Amino acid sequence: MCGIFGWVLAAAKHQNRDTLIGLTDLMSHRGPDASGYWLHQTSDERYQIGFGHRRLSIIDIGGGAQPMATEDGRFNLVFNGEIYNYLELRKELVALGHHFRTDSDTEVLIEAYRAWQLDAVRRLRGMFAFALWDDAEQRLVLARDAFGKKPLFLAEAQGAVLFGSEIEPLVQFPGFSRALDSDAIGHLSS
């Protein structure tokens, strides 16, 4: 079990790294082995992206740290779960010319998205919830497995998109009320 949390904020809503760390660490019980944080502003200054991760190390203990970015910086990912067929996908991606720095299913997930875009999600077998930022497209991709084995909560309001493995970091976000309108927060559906 890991924990993911993050946001995409319009310029007027930007937050600091301490806020990202504090809200992510509300889920420290989900990932006692490691933590990671990424705070990024798009080159046009329209958006701030924050990703936080609490890790329970299972696969590639030394190389699967998150958030994980591609070498070119285009893609950044936080991920909770396990991709059961990642070795098969990795082999297919290597045949297509993709290179890997780690042995983690996290990196396979990033490269699968690079190769197949949203079709990558259909190829995944496992239990997962993830958030991927594509900096070139300024796009946030959120997905979870079809059975909802790994939770992914989503809130969208007031120039902010928030997501997380648990609802608590979302309702603790500065400027959001604990009594959020039921239309503003929900569980991501397939």
Side-chain angles (χ1 to χ4, degrees):
M1 174 171 64
C2 294
I4 63 174
F5 169 72
W7 63 60
V8 175
L9 304 176
K13 298 290 182 178
H14 288 188
Q15 296 292 318
N16 62 40
R17 185 173 173 81
D18 290 340
T19 301
L20 178 62
I21 292 169
L23 293 172
T24 301
D25 287 353
L26 289 173
M27 300 181 300
S28 61
H29 57 280
R30 295 185 71 89
D33 295 332
S35 58
Y37 315 94
W38 176 67
L39 195 58
H40 172 73
Q41 185 168 311
T42 58
S43 60
D44 61 6
E45 300 182 5
R46 288 181 54 206
Y47 301 108
Q48 181 192 57
I49 301 87
F51 280 3
H53 188 261
R54 293 298 312 200
R55 185 169 188 216
L56 176 64
S57 300
I58 297 173
I59 295 174
D60 192 11
I61 294 169
Q66 296 182 44
M68 183 179 282
T70 55
E71 283 185 321
D72 63 6
R74 177 176 176 176
F75 301 105
N76 209 298
L77 177 89
V78 285
F79 163 58
N80 174 25
E82 186 176 352
I83 306 300
Y84 303 142
N85 64 331
Y86 82 99
L87 292 174
E88 294 85 5
L89 293 172
R90 180 186 171 108
K91 183 185 270 187
E92 191 174 346
L93 290 161
V94 166
L96 293 172
H98 294 256
H99 301 280
F100 293 88
R101 297 173 288 160
T102 72
D103 293 321
S104 71
D105 54 352
T106 305
E107 189 177 19
V108 169
L109 181 52
I110 293 172
E111 291 303 316
Y113 182 81
R114 185 193 301 268
W116 304 305
Q117 298 289 301
L118 293 177
D119 284 340
V121 177
R122 291 185 189 93
R123 293 171 173 256
L124 303 176
R125 301 294 173 259
M127 54 180 181
F128 58 87
F130 71 83
L132 179 139
W133 177 256
D134 180 341
D135 205 46
E137 298 292 328
Q138 293 193 354
R139 178 186 304 153
L140 176 67
V141 176
L142 298 169
R144 68 167 175 83
D145 63 274
F147 294 106
K149 182 78 173 173
K150 295 297 179 182
L152 186 58
F153 293 93
L154 174 67
E156 183 176 2
Q158 306 162 11
V161 174
L162 308 172
F163 65 86
S165 298
E166 295 183 1
I167 201 166
E168 189 65 19
L170 281 65
V171 299
Q172 293 293 331
F173 187 83
F176 272 55
S177 167
R178 287 192 64 82
L180 282 171
D181 184 318
S182 62
D183 290 335
I185 194 164
H187 193 268
L188 186 65
S189 60
S190 309

